[in-house]
Amino acid sequence: MSRSALVVIDVQESFRRRPVWAYASNPDIVGQVGRLVGAARERGDLVVWVLHAEPGTGGVFDPASGHVRLIEGLSAAPGEPTLVKTSHNAFTTTNLQQVLTTAGVREITVCGIRTEQCVETTARVGCDLGYQVTFVTDATVTFPTPHRDLPATATQEEILADPRTLSNEEMTARTEYALAGRFATIRTVAEVTGAVPAGARA
């Protein structure tokens, strides 16, 4: 039985197959997640892997594409569940809560892709379900986010040129602001792995 779990969300090849990956906030996500996974395993915490799938769409999130798999450099160890979701948060369309309950988990640490979407919504739902949540901000990835009025057909160059586009830094800061003290504790990889004391941002 483990009181704590690391939930790794959507760190999958699908994202690297999209042109927007060239503008990712944290292209070293595999290294950062790997450090978290290593520390969790050392502590005896449960590690849960979550992948996002959109069956039948024909895109990079369609399991038929072969890209709904962990990015190279990451792999689940024996006994570590790999769940597949079709919603943004990792709870709604999976048995994640059952997995955590069975393992006696009351505290979860979340990381993955995207910062303000799948990782944030998982943190919010986890908090609502009664878990103590840690959001590892530098083990998440986001992308420049266009204004809602920009046409869906806009190119990446047009998105970046639009002054209304929110930068990676702005998206991360907004997410931290919304979660901190309400739904989650914000930590860095260094803090979670014990490389620096909690509260001492590296």
Side-chain angles (χ1 to χ4, degrees), residues 6-194:
L6 172 66
V7 182
V8 182
I9 305 161
D10 298 355
V11 186
Q12 63 193 73
E13 189 63 29
S14 309
F15 282 100
R16 292 210 303 177
R17 298 290 170 162
R18 303 174 79 186
V20 73
W21 184 257
Y23 305 95
S25 63
N26 185 9
D28 186 38
I29 183 70
V30 170
Q32 297 291 71
V33 170
R35 290 172 61 193
L36 291 174
V37 169
R41 288 171 178 166
E42 273 192 26
R43 291 191 299 266
D45 291 347
L46 177 66
V47 178
V48 182
W49 305 87
V50 183
L51 300 173
H52 183 78
E54 298 174 0
T57 60
V60 293
F61 291 96
D62 189 331
S65 71
H67 302 315
V68 182
R69 54 186 169 84
L70 294 173
I71 294 177
E72 186 176 350
L74 297 173
S75 60
E80 294 177 352
T82 299
L83 312 180
V84 179
K85 65 180 178 63
T86 55
S87 61
H88 290 311
N89 80 81
F91 285 97
T92 302
T93 55
T94 72
N95 67 334
L96 176 58
Q97 186 179 10
Q98 180 183 12
V99 168
L100 298 177
T101 300
T102 300
V105 169
R106 296 309 313 156
E107 302 171 3
I108 61 172
T109 298
V110 296
C111 63
I113 309 173
R114 296 184 46 154
T115 307
E116 77 290 350
Q117 192 178 70
C118 297
V119 189
E120 179 183 2
T121 56
T122 298
R124 287 174 177 266
V125 174
C127 177
D128 284 348
L129 291 172
Y131 296 100
Q132 182 177 327
V133 182
T134 297
F135 184 94
V136 190
T137 187
D138 59 342
T140 70
V141 171
T142 191
F143 307 94
T145 303
H147 189 271
R148 62 182 177 274
D149 291 338
L150 200 65
T153 56
T155 65
Q156 195 61 46
E157 289 70 25
E158 289 171 330
I159 292 172
L160 293 173
D162 188 333
R164 300 170 299 176
T165 293
L166 293 179
S167 68
N168 294 337
E169 294 76 16
E170 289 172 315
M171 291 306 299
T172 300
R174 285 170 178 245
T175 302
E176 291 181 6
Y177 189 91
L179 291 177
R182 301 172 179 86
F183 301 98
T185 299
I186 310 300
R187 292 281 183 259
T188 64
V189 172
E191 290 172 322
V192 173
T193 60

